[in-house]
Amino acid sequence: MQSTDIGPKEQGKIWHRKPTPSPADGVIVNVVHGVVGYHSKIIRFLHVAFETAGEAFLAGDHQGNIYVFDLSRNSFKLVQRTGLACTALAFNLRRKTEYLVALADYSVKCFDTDTKELVSWMRGHESAVSSISVHGSGRYAITTSTDTAQLWDLDTFQRKRKLNVRSSVGIQKVYFLPLSNTILSCFKDDSIFAWESDTLHCKYQLPVPEDESRINYKAFAVTRDGRALVAGGKSNFLHLWCLNSRQLQRIIQMPPKVRTVRHLEFLPDSFDGGSSQVIGVLSQDGIMRFINIQTCKLLFDIGSLDNGINTVAVSPNGHYIAAVLEDGSLGIYNVRALTQELNKPPPPLVKVVADNAKTKECKNKNGLSGLKMRVTSGRVERSWGGKSAGKKMQTRILKPSGTIPEDKENELPAGLNKKRLQALLKEFGEYPEKYRMFIWRSLLQLPENHAAFSSLTDKGTHAAYLGIHEKYPIKSRKLLRILQRVLSAMAHWSAIFGEVSYLPLLAFPFVKLFQNNHLIGFEVVATVIINWCQHWFEYFPNPPINLLSMIENILAHHDKKLLQHLVRCNITTQSYAWPLIETLFSEVLTREEWLKLFDNIFSNHPSFLLVAVVAYLICSRAPLLHCNIKEDLENFFHHRNNLDLSAVIKEAYHLMDTTPEDIHPKRMLDDFVPLTKGQYPIFNKYPKFVVDYQTQERERIWHEELEYLKERQLAHGLQAEAVKRQAENAAWYRQQELLQEAEEQRRKILLEEEQKLVKQRLRLAAVKRELKVKELQLLDAAHRRFQKHQQEQQKSELRRLDDEIDRKIALRGKETAALIQDVEVRNMELKTQQRIFEQQLAKEQEAVTRDVKGHLDINWIKADVEDQTFKRLLEMDQYQEVEDYKKGQNIEVGLAEADQLCTNMDWQAQMLQKQGVYNLDREKCQAELARLASENREREAKLLHVMKEVEGKQWDEIVERHAQLEAHQERAAADTHRRQLLPDGTSRAVELDEHLHKNLHDSFERLCDTRTKYPQKQRRDLLQGSGDQKPGNLCLNDMSLDSSVQLSLDRGRTDLESKERELMTGVRALRQKLAAQARQKYPNISLTDWTT
């Protein structure tokens, strides 16, 4: 077994030496698609599909590569890289180079093998496509998935119909029946429906098997004639359905090893007429077994348990089997090698002749008792069918050859016997369909001269049959080419066959029957002409009058009344016998009837054909006698009629036996003579002089026709030349006249054009003037419009500026009013604060007076020191605050004036006409602000004066207290004896005094820090309210500052003073609290104790 690794090659040879498949396995070659660099890794093939002729097939792998393997040319070629794994293939479209491939993305694509281009892309499935079925015409295709089946038109690649089913049912397979327009749909519930492909009407439904016989169909196969359906599933049973009767014909049980049927394929046979008898069954073990569905016998199998078969395809001609194996390789099998033993002819039947005493003595004498043969027909694999199929024959003993003379004339090639075949034919009326072609070849004893036939075909197409397609427009171009080839070979063999007009009618049935083997078709036609067409060409080109006279004599002898009726209607043998003979009954019989008739013609003497013509007339006696019109009678012999062919054959045998010898055609016709081997015999049984004369006449007529054509061509040329010259002369004169007329017309036209040009120039000048005027008017209008637009724009700008000025004036008026109100409020607040401060000072003075009188002298001294320190800090802080405030006012006024100048300079460029009014308003506002500021400064000066008076009074009190303290200290030094008595109390008083002094000092420091830090920070924040001005550059006329920011200076000062008062109040409260704590802690110490 050869093995080929295609690897990365895109084309090459399938095998490198001539394959010799053995009958054991039949493998031609094993194809592997290896990966470069990986010796053990291969790319798995998934599906295969044969073309219509059966000599090439497609193969697709799981990487999306599509290859074409041509077995006749021993070549393979990569035709497409789809990039996706294929799920189904079809290679039998109308256009032979196109194919369909279903991909893993649920789409179906059509490619061309020659151009490698995408022809069409069909979408619509929602799950993987499991099968593609193409109609016999190649126009339609059905794609099937688990949930739907879709019918496509391959001319337009458009979807025509869609079959939807419930998800609970599911589709197994939908496909076309061969040789019909019927669609068969098989579902998962074992129901099978037949539909008309044109209208999609349901034709019938096969009955669903009963529960005990249901096998859950998974695989289906139909014979080529579309008459039988085989279905298999999850069991070892096969159901054989007859689609004509729509009944379950047979249930076939496979061997016990088969548990599930995965795939079914019929094995076609060239001689079975489409009624295939052998089917391949692929089971779960990967072995495909081929059985005969009639005898139920296992013929052969392919595959093995080690490397089983996944899927398989059988070529339509039945020569090859392509199988995808489990390891991903591709196995190609030769069917002829597998069926070599089966194709052998059956052994001859052995008859038993009873022995008697004499024969026994002869046997003993001759020593031939060992020649007894025992053969049972049950051992023959291929039966004859019919009633004898499967029956066993009894064993019989043959006599030695020395006792019975051999009947050599009845012996046929391949071990057949003519007498036995005739007996079989008389019993069944026809040969088995499966073995008919084999029997015919044996009966005709065809030599199969390949070399001689090749020499005839190498001469090319004969001239007589170059235009055969015009006279005989056959639909199949392949069949037309085969017919042309066979007829050309016949014409090259003998010249008469190039002249016979009816030869295509005679040869066509045989050519169509043997279209797959041109040699056999040629030799069958040649054998028929030599034996059954004897004396046909003696009266050429007229019909064979002698044979027709013989037919008339036989008809006159057996049915004189019918002959008289035909003569009365002026119907001669050329009208009722010759049409049947020249077409060999192909016009009046169907295919099956014609085959049955020629089974009998080939099995008898050549005269049987003439007798069959008479039998056909006699069996058609009734309709012929009722017909009196000549045209109807002539038409009768050119069309099919309702006639029982079995009765015709029976009548022919009767006429063969009852016809007298003097008028029997056997007397004129020779016995059957086969073709010679090596070279074909010379055929010259025709009037050669007639043929030669016709050939010569044809050549003469052809030469005369050539001469006539040449002369006619020459005459036509001369006439055309003369006509051309005459036409040229007439054209020249006419051209001259036309030139003169054209010249005059041109002169007139030129004058007219000049006048028109002058007028047009005048009009153009006038138009230019008008255009200039219009242009000036337009420019003037545009200028005025532009000026008006500028004026309107300036007015709008002025209005906008006026509005802006009004808005700013109103805003400044509001700000001025707000400032005036704030100043007035500030004055009121200052007056109120002055009064409150005076009251507080009076109250504090009274309180201090009462406290000084009620406490010890040291308390007075400490209080005086504290008040002195506090007042000094307060005076310094107030003085610094007043100075800072005055400086701030001066800086603010300067900055306001500078900012106002900048603002005025900017505004001067925008509105010069409003400057005077604006300056007056600004001066009024500044005067008002200056007046308010002066009043504010006067009030602040009064407040400072009051504060200085109060501070002077407080300093006077502090000096007095200091003097008192010094007096107390002098008295305390003198009274040392009292301090010795009260050491603890004194130390505690000193400590209390130091504690109070420390607390007061801390309070004054916090007060100073608060007055020095917080107001300055607050002023800085207020002055830095505008991001584009420096601190302190506060301008009341600046419109960019918010009024709340501009007025926050006085408010911040008010807040500062309120906080100052709160701090003073806190200090007093703290002093009172400390004094109260001292009194509570030292209740026994009083002022009298220190003073005494």
Side-chain angles (χ1 to χ4, degrees), residues 820-994:
I820 293 170
Q821 291 178 2
D822 289 341
V823 171
E824 292 177 353
V825 171
R826 176 61 179 168
N827 292 332
M828 294 174 64
E829 288 178 352
L830 289 174
K831 291 178 181 180
T832 305
Q833 289 177 3
Q834 182 179 0
R835 292 172 185 173
I836 293 171
F837 189 63
E838 291 175 352
Q839 292 177 1
Q840 287 179 354
L841 289 177
K843 291 179 181 179
E844 288 178 358
Q845 187 176 3
E846 292 177 359
V848 170
T849 303
R850 287 193 301 267
D851 291 338
V852 169
K853 291 179 179 180
H855 288 82
L856 295 173
D857 293 337
I858 192 167
N859 291 335
W860 282 99
I861 294 171
K862 290 181 180 180
D864 292 339
V865 173
E866 290 173 1
D867 289 339
Q868 185 180 3
T869 306
F870 174 74
K871 292 299 181 178
R872 188 178 297 135
L873 292 174
L874 183 61
E875 181 181 1
M876 292 175 65
D877 185 62
Q878 288 178 354
Y879 179 76
Q880 185 67 30
E881 181 181 357
V882 170
E883 293 295 326
D884 292 341
Y885 179 76
K886 290 180 180 180
K887 291 179 182 179
Q889 290 293 329
N890 296 329
I891 294 171
E892 288 175 0
V893 171
L895 291 174
E897 290 176 356
D899 187 78
Q900 187 64 41
L901 290 175
C902 294
T903 304
N904 292 336
M905 291 177 68
D906 294 333
W907 284 11
Q908 285 175 2
Q910 298 180 3
M911 47 180 182
L912 298 174
Q913 68 276 13
K914 300 293 182 175
Q915 186 66 36
V917 177
Y918 181 78
N919 291 332
L920 293 175
D921 295 335
R922 183 173 60 81
E923 289 174 357
K924 291 179 180 180
C925 292
Q926 288 179 355
E928 184 69 18
L929 290 173
R931 183 180 61 81
L932 294 174
S934 62
E935 292 178 357
N936 192 14
R937 283 195 295 273
E938 292 176 357
R939 291 173 183 173
E940 288 180 352
K942 291 179 182 180
L943 179 62
L944 289 174
H945 181 68
V946 172
M947 292 176 65
K948 287 180 179 180
E949 292 178 353
V950 173
E951 186 177 0
K953 293 179 180 180
Q954 290 179 352
W955 276 107
D956 294 336
E957 292 177 357
I958 292 171
V959 171
E960 293 177 358
R961 290 176 184 175
H962 184 66
Q964 293 177 3
L965 181 61
E966 289 180 354
H968 284 301
Q969 287 179 355
E970 290 176 357
R971 287 193 298 267
D975 297 334
T976 54
H977 62 278
R978 294 181 62 87
R979 294 181 182 178
Q980 293 178 357
L981 296 175
L982 298 171
D984 296 332
T986 303
S987 61
R988 282 195 298 270
V990 173
E991 289 175 0
L992 179 61
D993 184 23
E994 291 176 356

Side-chain angles (χ1 to χ4, degrees), residues 837 866-867 869-878 881 999-1015 1056-1068 1070-1071:
F837 189 63
E866 290 173 1
D867 289 339
T869 306
F870 174 74
K871 292 299 181 178
R872 188 178 297 135
L873 292 174
L874 183 61
E875 181 181 1
M876 292 175 65
D877 185 62
Q878 288 178 354
E881 181 181 357
N999 289 337
L1000 288 173
H1001 182 69
D1002 293 338
S1003 298
F1004 279 116
E1005 285 181 353
R1006 286 196 301 271
L1007 178 62
C1008 294
D1009 293 338
T1010 303
R1011 291 177 58 86
T1012 55
K1013 293 180 180 180
Y1014 178 78
L1056 180 60
E1057 292 174 355
S1058 63
K1059 290 181 179 180
E1060 182 180 356
R1061 288 193 297 270
E1062 291 177 359
L1063 287 173
M1064 293 293 292
T1065 306
V1067 170
R1068 295 190 189 99
L1070 182 60
R1071 291 170 62 186

Side-chain angles (χ1 to χ4, degrees), residues 56-75:
F57 65 89
L58 285 175
D61 58 24
H62 74 278
Q63 290 189 354
N65 302 316
I66 307 296
Y67 292 88
V68 172
F69 292 86
D70 193 337
L71 301 177
S72 61
R73 299 180 180 179
N74 183 25
S75 64

Side-chain angles (χ1 to χ4, degrees), residues 295 297-299 341-342 344-347 349 373-383 388-393 395:
T295 61
K297 291 186 177 180
L298 178 63
L299 304 180
E341 296 296 331
L342 303 177
K344 288 184 178 180
L349 300 178
M373 300 174 63
R374 296 179 179 272
V375 179
T376 59
S377 61
R379 294 176 58 188
V380 180
E381 295 285 353
R382 303 185 69 172
S383 65
S388 62
K391 294 182 179 179
K392 293 185 178 181
M393 303 298 294
T395 303

Side-chain angles (χ1 to χ4, degrees), residues 698-710:
R698 188 179 293 105
E699 291 180 356
R700 182 181 62 80
I701 292 171
W702 182 62
H703 287 299
E704 290 179 355
E705 186 177 1
L706 287 178
E707 292 178 0
Y708 168 73
L709 290 174
K710 290 180 181 179

Side-chain angles (χ1 to χ4, degrees), residues 1041-1059:
L1041 293 175
D1042 195 296
S1043 60
S1044 61
V1045 177
Q1046 295 172 6
L1047 300 175
S1048 61
L1049 295 173
D1050 295 334
R1051 294 174 184 174
R1053 189 178 296 110
T1054 305
D1055 296 336
L1056 180 60
E1057 292 174 355
S1058 63
K1059 290 181 179 180

